[in-house]
Amino acid sequence: MKPIDWQVTASDGQARTGILRTRRSIIETPVFMPVGTQAAVKGVRFESLEDELDARIILGNTYHLFLRPGPEIIRGLGGLHKFSTWNRSLLTDSGGFQVFSLTDLRRLSEDGVEFRSHIDGSRKYLSPEISMEVQAALGSEIVMAFDECPPGDAGHERTRTSLELTARWAARSKEKFIEFQDGGMDVGFVSEPGAVATGDFSPRAESEPSVATAPVATAHGSDSLSGRQALFGIIQGAGHLDLRAESLQRTVDIGFDGYAIGGLSVGEEKPVMYGVIEYIAPQMPADAPRYLMGVGTPEDLIEAVYRGVDMFDCVMPTRNGRTGGAFTSHGKLNIRNARFATDQSPLDSDCGCSVCRRYSRAYLRHLNLAGEMTAATLITHHNLAFYLDTMRRARQAIKSGDFARFRVEFLNKLRQNGDAGV
Amino acid sequence: MKPIDWQVTASDGQARTGILRTRRSIIETPVFMPVGTQAAVKGVRFESLEDELDARIILGNTYHLFLRPGPEIIRGLGGLHKFSTWNRSLLTDSGGFQVFSLTDLRRLSEDGVEFRSHIDGSRKYLSPEISMEVQAALGSEIVMAFDECPPGDAGHERTRTSLELTARWAARSKEKFIEFQDGGMDVGFVSEPGAVATGDFSPRAESEPSVATAPVATAHGSDSLSGRQALFGIIQGAGHLDLRAESLQRTVDIGFDGYAIGGLSVGEEKPVMYGVIEYIAPQMPADAPRYLMGVGTPEDLIEAVYRGVDMFDCVMPTRNGRTGGAFTSHGKLNIRNARFATDQSPLDSDCGCSVCRRYSRAYLRHLNLAGEMTAATLITHHNLAFYLDTMRRARQAIKSGDFARFRVEFLNKLRQNGDAGV
């Protein structure tokens, strides 16, 4: 029995739709996963994510939860699902990216990395083994292997050294991961997958978003799931295509339940990013989900779906939303702009979310300028609605064999405001 | 035809319940009005205030909206209801209290008060006439007369001088108010009260909170409303009972649709506040709503209801909620306290709000310590639920003739944590 199951349901060029079953929910891909860094998606209640936005999977950040409240507290309270009350799927990253981007005074060794907490400066240590232990305590559905993330502009030699370390860490991650699974350390273990949160476990039909369909086993094959965590490997290699291919080969040789492209959107030019995706995604195992980590703008998502990617996460919709940045089908806008002072139209006239159905740009601008946190919560809500709806529309276009046209029209419309994707 | 209608439905000692009809909603009293200073109740979406919390009336602050976005913008966008999308009742204060508490470099004259904006230091001016003009542009259901607020510890002579000025300002407020009403300056005018937002306009039965009842005219008398704004007068006099009586007499002589007790909860001792309320409330017109401005803790509310007050507003549930302070039926708690680190119980085990039904103290504490704004929004939501539910229970107790017992039990329970009402 497998921890997750992923089946292609349609394809159009390199783009494909699929159904990802985890022990806690059914996820249609391509999917955008809202980021819940510290056991909460910033500014949005879980109720909204479940009821209106219908997010099936969100992220948790191992680095942040490792530091606060700490794995002992979360394990003691029954894991991240029980602690936070989010009962759909969780993907946890390995902590590697944050260690290399948020902390200083790092000491990297073959074994792992010592660093200072960005919260209180205390000395902390992460390694493949510790990351697996923390992620077992969190009890997420999808665990990420612990990797090193070199700078985006790292040279060939530095990148090769790094990916070789990442490959060794990937093997250690898998070994320890299996040990913890066999040893019952996974707090999120589900003895009867499919019996958990039945409503959440059933996908809504794309055409009828409010209707839950038949049970999983009937609708999407009868393969039982093991109830365990899944482990994804990460492909590094920066902008060097030969190293990307090498990293992919090493990662596939170890063998994972899914594969991620790491180390993109870290400062490189867009053509470099798209070039790496275009080169590597089609070489990744066709029967496993492909996850592009930490990317990106709505434009990036569509361009990556076009090149064969299935899963995404990014802080942009939540982070930008907090400061007044709205993503719309006509491009980005900053609500603080004076031209919105008496603008009675919604953030996005093509959006049907509860924020766009009710609130005007003039009102949202006022809230932002007045320092009302409701400006942040409302714009964040819309941004997530736009991201999730964009994925929904992409899936429909792929199923209709119409994705190439959808892509061009979507990107053209985004550019109408002149600052799309910037 | 009157702008509002208020009828007593039950009384128990000095405490009474009533139905207040405005042109936009029906409000059962005693009522707590959440404070929406800048056209938003901090941290809570209107959807929650309407659907779950069922608030029928909220406050707007004339001072803040006068400065930002300014009455011209709001008038241009059709008034505060249309601007904010809050379509139930609004009460706007006069701006006087904020001028005297938030600004410095004030210059008070017989005509009005010059002050510096707390936002940008620019020179501004408010007077009874300007306050009425701004409140007409806001289009609130209940307008407050412009008053001077002396310090809580002002001596007899200073207080008398102040209340005489307040009385002259009250007369000027009323004169200008009538002129604006007759001149069609009230942006919120409703030509057919009762036809507006029918669902909102009907009270829910106390016993069946989710069921809307029959139309207003049938259920609560057939008096038509004028569709205009109502004007409330304010009784000042600090802790001097003779001056309170004098201020009341002067205010009633001018004649208003409702009467407010101002200048309490501004630093005086609790017995002084309760003493003033106990002395003055029963002398206030029995057939008009009595509004205690800016008060207070749950204990204060019950003590004031016991002494005959019908309406309240206070920033405490929203302000304290933002910093982790929760009001519960067992007293206040601060979620940052280490004893909640692994506490899986809800904020208030006797509360049925959506926050208490789902989230644990341990999780809320984590969110607060992690700086997640969701800590603020969730605790604020609970606090408002507790305040509104407390009023609901007080109304039931009055209707059952059981308010004296309810009061004692409620207050005893509050004190169980040792810091109730502090």
Side-chain angles (χ1 to χ4, degrees):
Chain A
M1 290 196 295
K2 302 177 295 183
I4 60 170
D5 178 65
W6 184 77
Q7 303 285 340
V8 175
T9 50
S11 62
D12 183 0
Q14 290 295 333
R16 65 233 194 120
T17 58
I19 300 277
L20 173 63
R21 291 189 299 144
T22 77
R23 59 192 182 185
R24 279 201 169 72
S25 61
I26 286 189
I27 300 145
E28 296 187 88
T29 63
V31 64
F32 177 78
M33 304 181 281
V35 177
T37 301
Q38 306 186 105
V41 175
K42 289 185 195 302
V44 183
R45 284 178 68 158
F46 286 145
E47 290 87 341
S48 295
L49 285 166
E50 293 162 350
D51 298 341
E52 183 189 334
L53 302 174
D54 195 25
R56 305 293 178 85
I57 179 168
I58 66 174
L59 241 72
N61 281 118
T62 291
Y63 169 84
H64 289 91
L65 296 166
F66 173 61
L67 296 182
R68 183 173 54 196
E72 303 77 16
I73 292 268
I74 293 184
R75 178 176 286 283
L77 293 174
L80 195 50
H81 292 96
K82 199 165 173 209
F83 175 61
S84 73
T85 76
W86 175 258
N87 201 30
R88 299 183 180 187
S89 293
L90 283 166
L91 181 150
T92 44
D93 63 6
S94 70
F97 181 77
Q98 277 76 24
V99 168
F100 294 101
S101 60
L102 292 182
T103 72
D104 49 19
L105 296 171
R106 293 184 299 276
R107 274 214 315 218
L108 181 68
S109 70
E110 180 66 29
D111 184 70
V113 56
E114 185 181 300
F115 59 96
R116 286 189 185 277
S117 159
H118 78 287
I119 299 172
D120 60 8
S122 62
R123 275 174 207 279
K124 297 286 178 181
Y125 194 80
L126 271 178
S127 66
E129 290 76 16
I130 295 172
S131 176
M132 295 304 109
E133 189 178 347
V134 176
Q135 293 184 74
L138 298 176
S140 52
E141 276 56 57
I142 299 176
V143 167
M144 299 303 298
F146 190 70
D147 60 333
E148 199 214 340
C149 308
D153 58 358
H156 197 275
E157 204 45 41
R158 164 86 177 82
T159 305
R160 172 186 291 279
T161 309
S162 171
L163 78 81
E164 287 172 350
L165 179 64
T166 287
R168 293 191 297 275
W169 282 2
R172 283 166 53 193
S173 290
K174 185 176 177 186
E175 188 179 5
K176 203 69 183 179
F177 172 82
I178 292 170
E179 186 186 317
F180 284 139
Q181 294 299 310
D182 291 345
M185 294 288 284
D186 164 20
V187 177
F189 177 72
V190 171
S191 55
E192 290 184 62
V196 174
T198 308
D200 296 345
F201 208 72
S202 302
R204 295 177 184 176
E206 295 280 36
S207 53
E208 295 181 82
S210 65
V211 178
T213 57
V216 182
T218 321
H220 304 284
S222 56
D223 281 5
S224 294
L225 299 180
S226 65
R228 293 186 171 195
Q229 294 181 295
L231 181 64
F232 280 26
I234 303 174
I235 299 156
Q236 293 287 353
H240 310 286
L241 298 186
D242 59 327
L243 297 182
R244 285 283 172 183
E246 184 180 332
S247 181
L248 170 60
Q249 190 55 53
R250 285 170 177 268
T251 311
V252 170
D253 285 348
I254 298 168
F256 291 94
D257 301 306
Y259 296 89
I261 306 172
L264 288 183
S265 203
V266 291
E268 79 284 0
E269 299 289 319
K270 290 271 177 189
V272 173
M273 178 169 85
Y274 295 154
V276 169
I277 299 167
E278 190 162 306
Y279 173 77
I280 204 71
Q283 301 185 51
M284 293 165 73
D287 59 351
R290 301 165 180 160
Y291 164 31
L292 178 58
M293 302 184 79
V295 176
T297 63
E299 183 177 32
D300 292 340
L301 266 56
I302 294 303
E303 292 291 21
V305 166
Y306 180 71
R307 291 163 171 83
V309 173
D310 307 304
M311 301 170 67
F312 303 89
D313 79 284
C314 188
V315 296
M316 290 181 79
T318 39
R319 178 174 292 168
N320 293 20
R322 291 201 294 288
T323 54
F327 292 96
T328 82
S329 56
H330 299 85
K332 290 209 304 183
L333 61 84
N334 192 309
I335 202 65
R336 299 174 71 87
N337 194 304
R339 75 178 193 271
F340 302 129
T342 58
D343 187 340
Q344 303 196 52
S345 57
L347 287 174
D348 186 347
S349 52
D350 291 337
C351 177
C353 83
S354 60
V355 174
C356 288
R357 287 200 307 270
R358 177 159 188 169
Y359 300 103
S360 70
R361 292 169 171 182
Y363 178 63
L364 294 169
R365 177 174 186 270
H366 161 70
L367 294 184
N368 176 291
L369 293 180
E372 291 281 337
M373 74 174 93
T374 304
T377 61
L378 292 177
I379 298 175
T380 298
H381 181 104
H382 160 76
N383 283 350
L384 287 176
F386 178 68
Y387 266 67
L388 290 164
D389 190 54
T390 295
M391 291 292 96
R392 211 169 278 128
R393 293 172 59 213
R395 294 195 296 265
Q396 283 177 325
I398 295 165
K399 288 179 191 169
S400 315
D402 201 26
F403 187 71
R405 190 179 61 79
F406 167 79
R407 169 180 168 245
V408 170
E409 289 180 2
F410 180 84
L411 297 179
N412 282 342
K413 201 167 161 192
L414 269 189
R415 292 184 190 111
Q416 285 180 6
N417 270 358
D419 58 351
V422 178
Chain B
M1 290 195 295
K2 302 177 294 184
I4 59 169
D5 178 66
W6 183 77
Q7 303 286 340
V8 175
T9 50
S11 62
D12 184 0
Q14 291 295 333
R16 64 232 194 122
T17 58
I19 300 278
L20 173 63
R21 290 189 299 144
T22 77
R23 60 191 181 184
R24 279 200 169 72
S25 62
I26 286 188
I27 300 144
E28 296 187 88
T29 64
V31 63
F32 177 78
M33 304 181 282
V35 177
T37 301
Q38 306 186 106
V41 175
K42 289 186 194 302
V44 184
R45 283 179 67 158
F46 286 147
E47 290 87 341
S48 295
L49 285 166
E50 292 161 352
D51 298 341
E52 183 188 334
L53 302 174
D54 196 25
R56 305 294 178 86
I57 179 169
I58 65 173
L59 240 74
N61 281 118
T62 291
Y63 168 84
H64 289 91
L65 297 166
F66 173 62
L67 297 183
R68 183 173 54 197
E72 304 78 15
I73 292 267
I74 292 183
R75 178 177 285 283
L77 293 175
L80 194 49
H81 292 96
K82 199 165 172 209
F83 175 62
S84 72
T85 75
W86 176 259
N87 200 31
R88 300 184 180 186
S89 294
L90 283 166
L91 182 149
T92 44
D93 64 7
S94 70
F97 181 76
Q98 276 77 23
V99 168
F100 294 101
S101 60
L102 292 183
T103 73
D104 50 19
L105 296 172
R106 291 184 301 276
R107 274 216 312 223
L108 182 68
S109 70
E110 180 65 28
D111 184 71
V113 57
E114 185 181 299
F115 60 96
R116 286 189 185 276
S117 159
H118 77 286
I119 299 171
D120 60 9
S122 63
R123 275 174 206 279
K124 298 285 178 182
Y125 194 79
L126 271 178
S127 66
E129 290 75 15
I130 296 172
S131 177
M132 293 305 108
E133 189 179 347
V134 175
Q135 292 184 74
L138 297 177
S140 53
E141 277 56 55
I142 299 176
V143 167
M144 299 303 298
F146 190 70
D147 61 331
E148 200 215 339
C149 308
D153 57 358
H156 198 273
E157 202 46 41
R158 164 83 178 83
T159 304
R160 172 187 291 279
T161 310
S162 170
L163 78 81
E164 287 172 349
L165 179 63
T166 287
R168 292 191 298 275
W169 282 1
R172 283 166 53 193
S173 291
K174 184 175 177 186
E175 187 179 4
K176 203 68 184 180
F177 172 82
I178 292 170
E179 186 186 317
F180 284 139
Q181 294 300 308
D182 291 345
M185 294 288 284
D186 164 20
V187 177
F189 177 72
V190 171
S191 56
E192 290 183 63
V196 175
T198 308
D200 298 344
F201 208 72
S202 302
R204 295 178 183 174
E206 295 280 37
S207 53
E208 294 181 84
S210 65
V211 178
T213 57
V216 183
T218 322
H220 303 285
S222 56
D223 283 3
S224 294
L225 300 181
S226 64
R228 294 186 170 195
Q229 294 182 294
L231 181 65
F232 279 25
I234 303 174
I235 299 157
Q236 292 287 354
H240 311 286
L241 298 186
D242 59 328
L243 298 181
R244 285 282 173 185
E246 185 179 333
S247 182
L248 171 61
Q249 190 55 54
R250 285 169 177 268
T251 312
V252 170
D253 285 348
I254 298 168
F256 292 93
D257 301 306
Y259 296 88
I261 306 172
L264 288 182
S265 203
V266 292
E268 78 283 359
E269 299 288 320
K270 290 269 178 188
V272 173
M273 177 169 86
Y274 296 154
V276 169
I277 299 167
E278 190 163 306
Y279 174 77
I280 204 71
Q283 300 185 52
M284 293 165 72
D287 59 352
R290 301 165 181 159
Y291 164 31
L292 179 57
M293 302 183 80
V295 177
T297 63
E299 183 177 32
D300 292 339
L301 266 55
I302 294 303
E303 291 291 20
V305 166
Y306 180 71
R307 291 163 172 82
V309 174
D310 308 303
M311 300 169 70
F312 303 89
D313 79 283
C314 188
V315 297
M316 291 181 79
T318 39
R319 179 173 292 168
N320 292 20
R322 290 201 295 288
T323 54
F327 292 96
T328 82
S329 56
H330 299 85
K332 290 209 305 182
L333 62 84
N334 192 311
I335 201 66
R336 299 175 70 86
N337 194 304
R339 75 178 192 271
F340 302 129
T342 58
D343 187 340
Q344 303 196 52
S345 58
L347 286 174
D348 185 348
S349 53
D350 290 338
C351 178
C353 83
S354 60
V355 174
C356 288
R357 287 200 305 271
R358 178 159 187 169
Y359 299 103
S360 69
R361 292 169 171 183
Y363 178 64
L364 294 170
R365 176 175 187 271
H366 161 69
L367 293 183
N368 177 290
L369 294 181
E372 290 282 337
M373 73 174 94
T374 305
T377 62
L378 293 176
I379 298 174
T380 297
H381 181 104
H382 160 76
N383 283 350
L384 287 176
F386 178 68
Y387 266 67
L388 290 164
D389 191 55
T390 295
M391 291 291 95
R392 211 169 278 127
R393 293 172 59 212
R395 293 195 296 265
Q396 283 177 324
I398 294 166
K399 288 177 191 170
S400 315
D402 201 26
F403 187 72
R405 190 178 61 78
F406 167 79
R407 169 180 169 247
V408 170
E409 289 180 2
F410 180 85
L411 298 178
N412 282 342
K413 202 167 161 192
L414 270 189
R415 291 183 191 112
Q416 284 180 8
N417 270 358
D419 56 353
V422 179

